[in-house]
Amino acid sequence: MNIKVLGTGCKKCKTLEANVKEAVANAGIEATVEKVEDVQKIIGYGVMSTPALVIDEKVVSKGKVLKAKDIEKLF
Amino acid sequence: MFIFKWLNAQLLKMEWLSNLVEKLITDVFKLDMTTRLGGSLHFFIYDVIKIFILLSVLIFTISYIQSFFPPERTRRILGRFNGITANILGALLGTITPFCSCSSIPLFIGFTSAGLPIGVTFSFLISSPLVDLASVLLLASIFNWKIAFAYVVVGLILAVLGGTIISKLKLEKYVEPFVYQNQMTESEQEQMTVLDRMNFGKEQVLDIIQKVWLYVLIGVGIGAAIHNWIPQEIISAVLGQDKWYSVILAVFAGVPMYADIFGTLPIAEALVLKGVGLGTALSFMMAVTALSLPSMILLKKVVKTRLLIIFAGIVTTGILIIGYLFNAFSYLII
């Protein structure tokens, strides 16, 4: 599973990244977690409100900092 | 009419809270309300509690409404209009669309690459931090409805004019080229249930309180100090209503500062109570919130410095004019 956290580097994006890592650890699955800060790439996903979450190249959440347990539900 | 006055007094001005805190000061702390300590303690406790209650209720309600207007929808709506109508809509939608300044770049690129003129995007970017539904209601609570309404109207006019000027000056050439090279893909709209929206509201409340509680405390603290400790004479001498330079001072003090608008409101309140012109206090508030260093730094990545300076210049000039106008006409609305 490939997970990308899209964000330009503010606190919210860092929190989402941390929550994602926690969710991955709790669920015990194999996943790569990447932080994408490049604006052009973010726009490429059609995202205008950061932070956003992309799982296996599909945008699953925009503009929200999801809690770890909510992220787990998306796996 | 009487009901409205009563609602206004109890819900917004929270007279019951003021009376309660007064009892606390006189009966529990055994302080005299007319002394500096008593007065400023009352101001501090009452204002902090009032702001936090209002903040929570307002942000929840407004976020609920805002969940109906994600940026994607705003962009689609704005795409259908031209000219000044688009600017006006951009400014109006800027107030309703939930917006975090870290999203300003993706948002700017998203709007621009969808074909929206940069003037419209700037109208949106100016009105967004400036005219915030929650702070308008707070203004109504601290001052009165006429002032709150005037502030909204004036803020929107500034946003529309600022955006229109930027369009008319044909400043597109100062946008970084890569912005236009992007193809914005339409991503699917999530459907939100009532529960989703309520959760969103709750998250926004917690998120914003976490961000601003320190600003509020500091702001109320400064307000309390001004209210009770700094003599009227000093304030009048520097910022008094009749001093022609008071607005300029207030604006240039405010521009380099950034604090959340909720923190500046108690300061504005205390200043006005000390005889500072309404326009001076309001323009200080606007200067602090409309231009912030973080969003300037972010915007610098998508527009060239010259456009950024023009943008800051237009907004600052607008705020100066508004300050003078409010001072001149405050007798009409206080």
Side-chain angles (χ1 to χ4, degrees):
Chain A
M1 185 176 295
N2 174 265
I3 307 179
K4 295 193 171 90
V5 175
L6 310 180
T8 44
C10 68
K11 204 170 76 131
K12 280 197 201 173
C13 336
K14 297 202 179 85
T15 312
L16 183 59
E17 194 189 358
N19 290 355
V20 167
K21 293 198 170 135
E22 190 187 324
V24 168
N26 289 347
I29 53 169
E30 282 262 354
T32 49
V33 180
E34 274 175 67
K35 180 91 184 304
V36 176
E37 290 191 5
D38 184 274
V39 180
Q40 293 202 250
K41 297 213 181 94
I42 296 179
I43 283 295
Y45 283 104
V47 165
M48 272 195 290
S49 12
T50 52
L53 193 58
V54 174
I55 299 185
D56 288 333
E57 298 304 304
K58 184 157 175 283
V59 180
V60 296
S61 151
K62 282 185 278 206
K64 289 194 225 154
V65 181
L66 297 171
K67 305 254 180 354
K69 57 178 169 57
D70 295 321
I71 301 176
E72 275 186 71
K73 290 196 200 133
L74 297 168
F75 290 158
Chain B
M1 203 52 221
F2 179 70
I3 301 239
F4 183 72
K5 273 200 177 148
W6 181 84
L7 273 174
N8 196 36
Q10 297 312 323
L11 288 178
L12 285 183
K13 292 202 181 292
M14 297 208 192
E15 284 174 12
W16 55 270
L17 182 63
S18 183
N19 296 337
L20 208 65
V21 178
E22 197 171 321
K23 280 208 165 61
L24 184 73
I25 302 283
T26 48
D27 299 341
V28 175
F29 294 150
K30 304 260 185 281
L31 288 169
D32 191 334
M33 276 289 297
T34 55
T35 62
R36 278 183 175 177
L37 187 59
S40 54
L41 206 57
H42 174 270
F43 184 95
F44 188 82
I45 299 179
Y46 160 68
D47 244 34
V48 166
I49 299 181
K50 180 173 81 167
I51 290 184
F52 278 118
I53 295 181
L54 283 176
L55 255 186
S56 313
V57 171
L58 293 176
I59 293 181
F60 183 80
T61 320
I62 288 163
S63 299
Y64 194 92
I65 299 175
Q66 286 180 334
S67 67
F68 289 99
F69 289 94
E72 288 78 12
R73 188 162 181 203
T74 301
R75 186 180 60 168
R76 228 176 304 142
I77 298 177
L78 288 178
R80 292 191 230 137
F81 295 90
N82 286 320
I84 205 164
T85 322
N87 284 85
I88 297 178
L89 273 176
L92 283 172
L93 286 167
T95 60
I96 319 184
T97 308
F99 176 67
C100 144
S101 56
C102 50
S103 305
S104 46
I105 313 184
L107 199 122
F108 187 89
I109 301 183
F111 277 24
T112 310
S113 56
L116 295 182
I118 51 165
V120 176
T121 310
F122 271 109
S123 286
F124 181 92
L125 285 178
I126 295 176
S127 79
S128 220
L130 202 62
V131 186
D132 171 11
L133 290 181
S135 43
V136 165
L137 282 159
L138 265 175
L139 258 181
S141 123
I142 292 180
F143 297 103
N144 65 47
W145 278 107
K146 284 191 264 187
I147 293 183
F149 184 71
Y151 179 79
V152 171
V153 168
V154 152
L156 288 176
I157 294 180
L158 178 62
V160 172
L161 277 179
T164 314
I165 293 177
I166 290 183
S167 278
K168 290 280 183 267
L169 290 179
K170 302 240 178 291
L171 295 171
E172 284 82 358
K173 55 183 187 278
Y174 290 112
V175 176
E176 297 286 353
F178 77 81
V179 174
Y180 286 108
Q181 284 156 10
N182 280 291
Q183 268 317 317
M184 188 77 191
T185 47
E186 272 295 330
S187 55
E188 346 159 343
Q189 275 291 73
E190 282 174 40
Q191 281 307 338
M192 290 183 87
T193 64
V194 171
L195 193 60
D196 284 335
R197 298 185 195 281
M198 287 182 67
N199 275 331
F200 177 66
K202 190 190 75 173
E203 275 162 28
Q204 289 288 97
V205 173
L206 291 173
D207 186 54
I208 290 183
I209 292 196
Q210 216 180 343
K211 259 198 294 197
V212 310
W213 67 272
L214 193 58
Y215 287 118
V216 172
L217 284 179
I218 295 179
V220 180
I222 297 180
I226 295 175
H227 195 244
N228 293 93
W229 295 86
I230 302 185
Q232 182 121 1
E233 302 76 51
I234 297 187
I235 298 200
S236 300
V238 178
L239 290 171
Q241 211 144 342
D242 51 335
K243 306 283 186 297
W244 63 272
Y245 51 77
S246 65
V247 176
I248 302 183
L249 260 182
V251 172
F252 281 100
V255 164
M257 285 172 31
Y258 180 69
D260 200 84
I261 197 166
F262 300 117
T264 58
L265 275 166
I267 301 183
E269 177 186 19
L271 286 175
V272 170
L273 283 172
K274 283 277 177 173
V276 171
L278 180 64
T280 313
L282 281 180
S283 58
F284 173 71
M285 261 176 56
M286 290 173 115
V288 169
T289 52
L291 298 167
S292 78
L293 204 55
S295 53
M296 290 286 130
I297 295 180
L298 286 174
L299 271 179
K300 174 78 184 62
K301 295 193 197 167
V302 281
V303 302
K304 304 210 167 87
T305 317
R306 186 184 267 210
L307 179 47
L308 207 57
I309 296 181
I310 296 181
F311 166 67
I314 293 179
V315 174
T316 311
T317 314
I319 296 180
L320 278 170
I321 298 179
I322 292 172
Y324 279 110
L325 278 176
F326 261 88
N327 272 347
F329 291 105
S330 60
Y331 64 87
L332 280 176
I333 42 182
I334 285 224

